[in-house]
Amino acid sequence: MKTLFSVLATSTILLLASCSKEKSIDSTDPDGGGSGGGNQASGQLVKTVIQLGTTDSTVSYFAYDGQGRFTRQWLGGTQNIMSDNGETRVVRNGQGTIQYIVIKDQVGASDSLLYTVNFNAGTGRYTSKIITEEVSGTVYRDSIVYSYNSSGQITEELYYTKVNNQPYEEWSKILFTYNNGNLTEYRGFYMDDLTNAYVQESRIVIEYDNKQSPLVLGAEGIVMDQINYVSPNNVTSAVVSDLSDPANDETVSYEYVYNDKNKPATASITFSSLGLPIPVTFYYN
């Protein structure tokens, strides 16, 4: 069974994958440009660059609609050390609500995964997202259901799967904890088929500074799998525990240089398993 630890590890910059997972990706910027005033500008985040030595890098680009709402993130550079999706695109309706999320392995690829996102207009909250795939005549449906606290923050993701006309089966969940608006803890669980009970397999504890994050998406960040940009402040440390295999445990520390708007201009990220700092540069429009 696919573990939640691997899901968490590949969904966020908190856990840049090891060099053994590197793969080549498209090195072009499909929209042309993207620096737009560099890292001293006061506008929206448009690009991050993770430098890998003198020649390789992982570049993430960000785009927004006319009202400044997040619509797209895609990768460039020479190496995808996060083993991340090549492109994530968000389709919104006229009210700005997310209706669909389109995910591609590579920028511009013809094949894609399409999530349908459900929204309760009465509560103003996203309730679930569903993806359907057909493989050799068998129809698979995966659904993620969201629960919230009184502050409108997503506190739980419940994962369900369904094959053809069989009932949905609950197979895993992630619990989220917050403090001062920041996402401070993830706990991942899988359903034990023998006991029909949840078993915790992973935990991430996160600390923050008091400066403004480059991009704040709130609950939409979880819905869009942009976990890195849920919180209003910047991560300063992350302690990762794999309860099924402590050999995978990791501690990640962050140091920032801020611009005149108190947003990160650069960062240095150090992993306990590697020891060497990884430089990151943030660009705004």
Side-chain angles (χ1 to χ4, degrees):
M1 177 181 290
K2 184 177 181 180
T3 67
L4 275 183
F5 186 84
S6 65
V7 174
L8 290 171
T10 57
S11 66
T12 172
I13 201 173
L14 298 175
L15 296 173
L16 295 173
S18 66
C19 295
S20 63
K21 294 183 180 178
E22 292 180 1
K23 60 181 180 180
S24 297
I25 57 176
D26 182 11
S27 61
T28 61
D29 175 356
D31 286 354
S35 58
N39 56 25
Q40 297 301 316
S42 60
Q44 294 171 305
L45 179 69
V46 293
K47 183 172 69 171
T48 63
V49 179
I50 302 173
Q51 195 63 44
L52 308 169
T54 58
T55 59
D56 290 330
S57 64
T58 295
V59 183
S60 292
Y61 299 97
F62 302 85
Y64 309 86
D65 64 15
Q67 286 69 49
R69 296 174 296 227
F70 177 95
T71 57
R72 186 174 173 229
Q73 180 264 335
W74 69 102
L75 292 180
T78 58
Q79 296 286 340
N80 177 7
I81 65 171
M82 292 181 288
S83 297
D84 209 348
N85 299 311
E87 180 179 8
T88 299
R89 184 166 57 87
V90 175
V91 179
R92 299 178 183 269
N93 62 17
Q95 290 71 48
T97 303
I98 299 172
Q99 293 183 298
Y100 304 101
I101 300 173
V102 183
I103 297 176
K104 298 183 178 182
D105 286 340
Q106 296 183 2
V107 177
S110 57
D111 293 335
S112 62
L113 299 177
L114 176 66
Y115 283 93
T116 299
V117 182
N118 298 310
F119 181 78
N120 186 325
T123 62
R125 295 177 177 179
Y126 297 98
T127 57
S128 63
K129 67 179 179 183
I130 301 172
I131 186 171
T132 301
E133 295 182 89
E134 183 174 347
V135 180
S136 301
T138 301
V139 178
Y140 299 89
R141 292 181 177 87
D142 291 325
S143 176
I144 302 174
V145 177
Y146 305 109
S147 296
Y148 293 77
N149 61 19
S150 59
S151 298
Q153 298 162 321
I154 293 177
T155 56
E156 182 180 61
E157 288 184 322
L158 279 177
Y159 288 73
Y160 295 86
T161 188
K162 177 179 181 178
V163 180
N164 290 328
N165 294 322
Q166 299 297 315
Y168 274 105
E169 293 185 4
E170 185 178 338
W171 68 276
S172 64
K173 68 179 180 180
I174 302 176
L175 301 182
F176 303 100
T177 302
Y178 301 84
N179 185 27
N180 294 324
N182 291 312
L183 179 54
T184 55
E185 184 183 46
Y186 308 70
R187 287 179 290 155
F189 300 79
Y190 71 91
M191 180 69 74
D192 188 311
D193 296 332
L194 297 178
T195 63
N196 201 32
Y198 275 115
V199 177
Q200 184 176 353
E201 65 172 346
S202 61
R203 183 173 185 245
I204 305 177
V205 178
I206 309 166
E207 296 182 355
Y208 294 82
D209 63 12
N210 59 0
K211 306 293 187 180
Q212 184 177 350
S213 171
L215 176 62
V216 183
L217 298 174
E220 281 196 345
I222 292 180
V223 175
M224 295 184 291
D225 291 326
Q226 295 287 329
I227 304 295
N228 215 38
Y229 300 110
V230 171
S231 301
N233 301 124
N234 303 287
V235 176
T236 57
S237 70
V239 178
V240 183
S241 301
D242 182 349
L243 304 183
S244 62
D245 186 358
N248 292 324
D249 289 358
E250 183 78 77
T251 299
V252 190
S253 61
Y254 299 71
E255 294 184 0
Y256 298 94
V257 173
Y258 303 95
N259 62 23
D260 57 357
K261 302 299 180 182
N262 277 332
K263 292 182 179 181
T266 62
S268 178
I269 306 175
T270 303
F271 295 82
S272 59
S273 61
L274 299 177
L276 298 176
I278 300 175
V280 183
T281 305
F282 302 85
Y283 295 84
Y284 305 88
N285 60 17

